[in-house]
Amino acid sequence: MNNFKDFIYQRPNSDDFAARYQELLTEFDSENSGENQVAVIMKINEHRKKYSSMRTLCHIRHTVDTKDSFYEEEQQHFDITGPSLANLDHTFYSKILNSPFKETIVAHFGNQLMVIAASAIKTFDPSIIPDMQEENKLVSDYVKIQASAEIDFKGENLNLSTIQKYEVSKDRAERKAAAFAKWNFFEKQEERVAFIFDQLVKVRHRTAQKLGFNNYVELGYQRMLRSDYNAQDVERFREFIRLKIVPIASEIYEKQRQRLGLESLQFYDEGFQFKEGNPSPLGDEDWIVEQAEKMYFELSSETHAFFQMMKNQGLMDLKSRPGKATGGYCTFLEKEKVPFIFSNFNGTSGDMDVLTHEAGHAFQVYKSGHAKISEYIWPTYEACEIHSMSMELFTMPWMSLFFGEKAIQYQYGHIANAIKFLPYGAAIDEFQHFVYSQPDCTIDDRYQAWRAIEQKYLPHRQYDGQEFLEKGTFWIRQTHLFSVPFYYIDYALAQICAFQFWRMNVEDHEKAWNNYVNICSIGGSVSFLEIVKQAGLESPFEQRAFDHVVGYLKRWLTDKEKDLFDDH
């Protein structure tokens, strides 16, 4: 059993990779039967895995330490060579779409491969390779800016992850000072970040027009493989959030204000939920992993085997360190057939949020990693987030392992935060639609647009005179806006699905868990709405899904508030 630290990285020779890929494409054309073409597709798939595994291994090691000059240079290599090699995938997809034996290929792999191929054809042309390279470099520049944060606070040198423990301090003055210190870092970076974002918008719009789209909104949806819904469906979904969820979120914030005894709830108070302090894990990173091992042992035999593998093979990097990229993610090494979880623990309840969330992603690819073809290992993003957000809720009964007698506070806070997230997710999405439908806007236009959208979905928000935030800059901290445009409403879509899974789990655990494991196993072999259907859930684009979720959430919150606050 190999440990992650022993995985050998070797930069793939791009010329050799391309030459062998081209040989296989020629071989595909020469075959005179569907069965033989399927066999060549499998060879192509194995060939691509070698390259993708090295690219993923490089990405992990670069984000684990952005100061490592070797992996920084390697990441730059992939930023440059990746788009060029995409031309080969474009040719591959074109060939399978136009194969005279297409029916045999569909019979073997399923029709979703053709859906993916058709979308890929629309989103690539050799003429956009320089634009893709420029986009990659700009994204890497932004990631490095975030990772470079060194915030001097209370005698400590903190980054954007470790300062969060002070942002939920019981001392309000300390919360405010920490929040202002963090945003002071962003204010100092404003000119660089605004330039990067403006250039990203321009290069993405230029790319879209080269490919025949009106703007990047259309291209963005194609790149996200949104095959069974469109921008109008998403607009309707955002409206459901505004009408159905914003009132509940506003009520949660108001109860929070009253509970904390504040005249007004300021932005730096939003993450602080209990007067005696937010619950925090009772141990460090290693202790949390030990408790998670118990939790996953009790949840199911499958999760036990999965988590043992993650722990024993060193497939988690959870500790925050100087120079480490911000945030958390899960990725998959195709050649080794193992997931990897990256996080930045900071001693807050968010550590459990991110561990269970990323473990949901990791469990899904653990189950689907043996898919016939690489395209099916991961589903589309919004479906991926069903796995992660549902895992957060499936594990709720075990939170006493991590929080002791404050587990009920964690559970209440977690659900309250999930509800409060939905309006923010809608705001980010509406902002992206504005940005890419009006690419020539100035940065000030974008600031004003964000402020108006923010007030629509987050009417409670107050910035306590912080001028930088008052002008509409809060969005510049959101990495997704820079690195994966239009990947954010996915979390909101998935949250509505996860809430349905949660309710199903309470009513019939065996059914809910079996449905969950099933959609993990099918990976990306079907579309988003088909995954929702196979999970036994209502489409989040339908009002009845919101009606069922909202009713359940209101009842649950009322019951928990009685347990927690009636005697206060």
Side-chain angles (χ1 to χ4, degrees), residues 4 14 28-29 42 99 166 179 210 226 230 283 294 298 323 397 423 446 448 452-453 482 538:
F4 174 77
S14 300
F28 179 87
D29 286 338
M42 297 305 293
S99 168
Y166 293 113
K210 284 183 181 180
R226 293 176 176 173
N230 56 32
K294 297 175 188 174
E298 294 178 10
R446 290 170 189 150
Q448 290 173 22
I453 292 168
F482 294 78
E538 299 276 8

Side-chain angles (χ1 to χ4, degrees), residues 81-335:
T81 61
S84 299
L85 297 176
N87 192 28
L88 292 162
D89 286 336
H90 182 268
T91 304
F92 167 59
Y93 289 135
S94 179
K95 288 182 182 298
I96 62 173
L97 283 170
N98 294 296
S99 168
F101 310 110
K102 184 176 175 181
E103 287 185 8
T104 304
I105 295 172
V106 169
H108 187 83
F109 293 106
N111 190 62
Q112 185 66 8
L113 178 59
M114 297 302 168
V115 173
I116 292 168
S119 184
I121 292 297
K122 295 175 186 175
T123 60
F124 182 82
D125 183 87
S127 66
I128 70 167
I129 288 173
D131 301 302
M132 294 171 71
Q133 291 169 333
E134 181 182 348
E135 183 178 358
N136 286 344
K137 182 183 183 304
L138 289 165
V139 171
S140 292
D141 288 347
Y142 176 76
V143 169
K144 194 163 185 181
I145 286 173
Q146 283 202 322
S148 73
E150 294 183 356
I151 304 167
D152 185 12
F153 190 76
K154 292 182 71 69
E156 295 183 65
N157 187 7
L158 304 171
N159 58 33
L160 294 174
S161 298
T162 52
I163 198 169
Q164 290 175 22
K165 64 185 177 183
Y166 293 113
E167 291 185 277
V168 291
S169 168
K170 287 190 283 187
D171 183 335
R172 194 184 194 206
E174 190 167 81
R175 290 201 302 275
K176 178 177 178 178
F180 275 55
K182 181 179 79 174
W183 283 102
N184 184 50
F185 164 77
F186 280 110
E187 188 168 7
K188 288 178 181 176
Q189 304 298 326
E190 179 188 8
E191 187 174 341
R192 290 173 67 198
V193 170
F195 174 78
I196 288 171
F197 189 71
D198 190 59
Q199 293 303 301
L200 281 168
V201 172
K202 284 180 167 57
V203 72
R204 286 165 178 159
H205 182 67
R206 185 168 68 242
T207 300
Q209 293 202 310
K210 284 183 181 180
L211 292 169
F213 296 99
N214 290 318
N215 55 43
Y216 189 78
V217 176
E218 297 174 359
L219 174 57
Y221 271 62
Q222 284 293 326
R223 282 184 169 179
M224 296 289 285
L225 296 176
R226 293 176 176 173
S227 61
D228 47 8
Y229 65 96
N230 56 32
Q232 289 69 44
D233 295 317
V234 172
E235 183 178 7
R236 187 172 72 254
F237 176 74
R238 292 197 307 265
E239 185 65 2
F240 286 147
I241 289 177
R242 188 182 71 82
L243 293 173
K244 303 280 187 178
I245 302 296
V246 170
I248 303 176
S250 296
E251 186 178 342
I252 290 171
Y253 281 120
E254 174 56 20
K255 288 180 178 178
Q256 183 178 347
R257 182 195 68 78
Q258 294 173 11
R259 208 162 56 238
L260 300 178
L262 302 175
E263 275 191 32
S264 62
L265 191 78
Q266 299 296 329
F267 78 102
Y268 50 78
D269 298 315
E270 290 181 18
F272 184 68
Q273 301 202 58
F274 304 99
K275 204 164 188 176
E276 62 273 28
N278 287 1
S280 56
L282 301 176
D284 63 10
E285 294 89 349
D286 294 333
W287 179 87
I288 288 173
V289 170
E290 287 179 14
Q291 308 313 305
E293 198 173 359
K294 297 175 188 174
M295 174 177 74
Y296 283 119
F297 172 78
E298 294 178 10
L299 177 57
S300 77
S301 58
E302 291 158 306
T303 52
H304 172 58
F306 149 74
F307 200 77
Q308 284 287 298
M309 177 198 71
M310 297 296 291
K311 180 186 174 186
N312 294 339
Q313 293 187 235
L315 296 168
M316 298 180 282
D317 189 309
L318 306 175
K319 298 180 182 181
S320 184
R321 295 181 298 275
K324 188 176 180 181
T326 59
Y329 65 77
C330 171
T331 189
F332 187 74
L333 293 145
E334 286 193 69
K335 186 180 174 186

Side-chain angles (χ1 to χ4, degrees), residues 3-22:
N3 191 287
F4 174 77
K5 70 179 184 336
D6 299 321
F7 287 3
I8 296 171
Y9 172 78
Q10 183 175 13
R11 180 192 286 191
N13 185 302
S14 300
D15 292 338
D16 290 348
F17 174 82
R20 177 57 181 155
Y21 201 156
Q22 189 58 59

Side-chain angles (χ1 to χ4, degrees), residues 427 430-431 434-435 438 441 443-455 471-472 475:
E430 187 161 320
F431 178 67
F434 166 81
V435 165
Q438 302 188 48
C441 280
I443 190 65
D444 287 335
D445 292 334
R446 290 170 189 150
Y447 289 157
Q448 290 173 22
W450 170 257
R451 200 68 178 103
I453 292 168
E454 188 178 50
Q455 289 166 350
K471 74 176 184 179
W475 58 271

Side-chain angles (χ1 to χ4, degrees), residues 5 41 49-50 135 145 149 261 375 423 435 474 477 518 563:
K5 70 179 184 336
I41 290 173
K49 283 181 182 180
K50 300 170 188 175
E135 183 178 358
I145 286 173
E375 282 80 357
V435 165
F474 191 87
R477 63 177 279 279
N518 175 51
D563 293 338

Side-chain angles (χ1 to χ4, degrees), residues 11 59 77 139 156 246 344 353 385 510 543:
R11 180 192 286 191
H59 170 71
H77 166 76
V139 171
E156 295 183 65
V246 170
N344 281 274
D353 298 343
E385 300 305 339
E510 186 176 355
Q543 182 172 330

